[in-house]
Amino acid sequence: MKQINKFLFVPYILWMILFIIVPVLLLIYFSFFDLQGHFSFENYKKIFSATYFKMIWDSILYALAITIITLLISYPAAYFIRASKHQSLWLIILIIPTWINLLLKTYAFIGIFSHDGIINQVLTMLHLPKADLLFTTPAFLIVASYIYIPFMILPIFNSMKDIPNNVLQASTDLGANAFTTLRKVIIPLTKQGVLTGIQVTFIPALSLFMITRLIAGNKVINIGTAIEEQFLVIQNYGLGSTIALCLIVFMAIVLIITNTKSTNGKG
């Protein structure tokens, strides 16, 4: 039986080698070559320059803003779904938008935010001046938050669902009001779900590039758009690989930090 289990593990190992380890090794290899194909440490010098440091810092701030917005919306929504008698219905409503292609959803928001979009049509009907919503930072934050909300809600909801009802009843019987129960019972017991939601939201938000192009134009430049530009526009594979490696390292740090907090919370 153990030999069969080892054999079944082989496809996973091959997948890891071909699609994770080999690409990372290629990134490391190409990061040591400049635009002319010469071996150089110039790419790493550029990464630590003020320009790229500002870009990385802006990427962190944008990802943090998206994560906070989704958390502020998702936590009450998850609490509402848990308390609802129609949990399955609300979960289906929540999951269905994730089945729609990301590009289609982005173009739908272009139709909403554009100069002749739905919002400006309503403003015109109300005899109010049109607003320039498209190609702005707020539009980018709204669209990105909308896309990641389901990924934040689901782990939080799963944590809330695992809380026994008798624990909440005991809190009420001991004289705690709804706010005290939320602060001292529900939030501590859903910390793992919140950390998981932060992981699956913050990390991908660092490398957004399609939404930044279509919704924010050139107003938002983050790590994802920089990597896309280096690989597809400038074709500087060395610098693109170096930026991608920095992104991977930062993602690993975020995973380590959140997992450490999770472990400490359990202890």
Side-chain angles (χ1 to χ4, degrees):
M1 189 66 183
K2 290 183 179 180
Q3 291 180 348
I4 295 175
N5 290 336
K6 290 180 180 179
F7 178 76
L8 293 174
F9 198 65
V10 170
Y12 176 74
I13 295 295
L14 292 175
W15 181 275
M16 291 279 290
I17 293 172
L18 291 175
F19 297 104
I20 297 178
I21 297 175
V22 171
V24 171
L25 291 176
L26 287 174
L27 288 176
I28 295 172
Y29 173 77
F30 284 113
S31 68
F32 289 105
F33 292 89
D34 59 18
L35 191 57
Q36 289 74 35
H38 301 140
F39 183 85
S40 173
F41 291 97
E42 190 65 27
N43 296 322
Y44 289 94
K45 292 179 182 177
K46 289 181 180 179
I47 282 294
F48 292 102
S49 66
T51 301
Y52 282 96
F53 181 80
K54 183 180 183 303
M55 180 201 66
I56 294 172
W57 177 247
D58 289 343
S59 300
I60 294 172
L61 291 180
Y62 285 128
L64 185 62
I66 293 168
T67 303
I68 292 173
I69 293 170
T70 55
L71 180 59
L72 292 176
I73 296 172
S74 299
Y75 203 93
Y79 185 82
F80 167 78
I81 294 173
R82 185 198 180 279
S84 175
K85 296 180 180 179
H86 308 286
Q87 291 184 4
S88 300
L89 176 63
W90 288 113
L91 287 174
I92 290 173
I93 294 172
L94 175 68
I95 292 172
I96 284 177
T98 64
W99 297 347
I100 302 173
N101 184 272
L102 178 59
L103 188 61
L104 293 177
K105 288 190 283 190
T106 305
Y107 274 112
F109 273 102
I110 291 176
I112 294 172
F113 291 133
S114 64
H115 188 265
D116 296 320
I118 297 173
I119 294 178
N120 279 322
Q121 288 179 13
V122 173
L123 292 175
T124 301
M125 290 172 58
L126 297 174
H127 304 288
L128 296 173
K130 290 186 176 182
D132 294 325
L133 300 172
L134 197 59
F135 303 136
T136 61
T137 300
F140 165 72
L141 293 176
I142 290 171
V143 175
S145 300
Y146 164 78
I147 289 170
Y148 286 115
I149 278 175
F151 303 101
M152 179 69 80
I153 289 180
L154 288 174
I156 295 175
F157 168 75
N158 288 330
S159 294
M160 287 186 179
K161 189 177 66 172
D162 292 337
I163 300 175
N165 288 324
N166 57 3
V167 173
L168 302 179
Q169 292 171 358
S171 175
T172 304
D173 293 341
L174 292 171
N177 56 30
F179 178 74
T180 303
T181 301
L182 176 66
R183 183 170 59 90
K184 297 210 169 180
V185 178
I186 297 177
I187 290 179
L189 292 177
T190 56
K191 188 180 294 184
Q192 176 59 43
V194 171
L195 289 173
T196 303
I198 290 173
Q199 286 181 358
V200 298
T201 302
F202 182 82
I203 292 176
L206 284 170
S207 56
L208 286 171
F209 68 92
M210 184 175 65
I211 297 174
T212 57
R213 295 293 190 194
L214 296 176
I215 300 296
N218 293 320
K219 300 292 179 65
V220 174
I221 303 295
N222 63 0
I223 299 176
T225 53
I227 294 172
E228 179 204 19
E229 186 178 70
Q230 294 297 329
F231 275 103
L232 300 181
V233 180
I234 304 174
Q235 295 187 343
N236 187 349
Y237 302 120
L239 185 55
S241 299
T242 308
I243 300 172
L245 282 174
C246 290
L247 178 61
I248 292 171
V249 170
F250 190 78
M251 287 178 174
I253 292 172
V254 173
L255 284 172
I256 291 170
I257 292 173
T258 51
N259 283 335
T260 300
K261 288 182 178 179
S262 170
T263 304
N264 291 339
K266 287 182 179 179

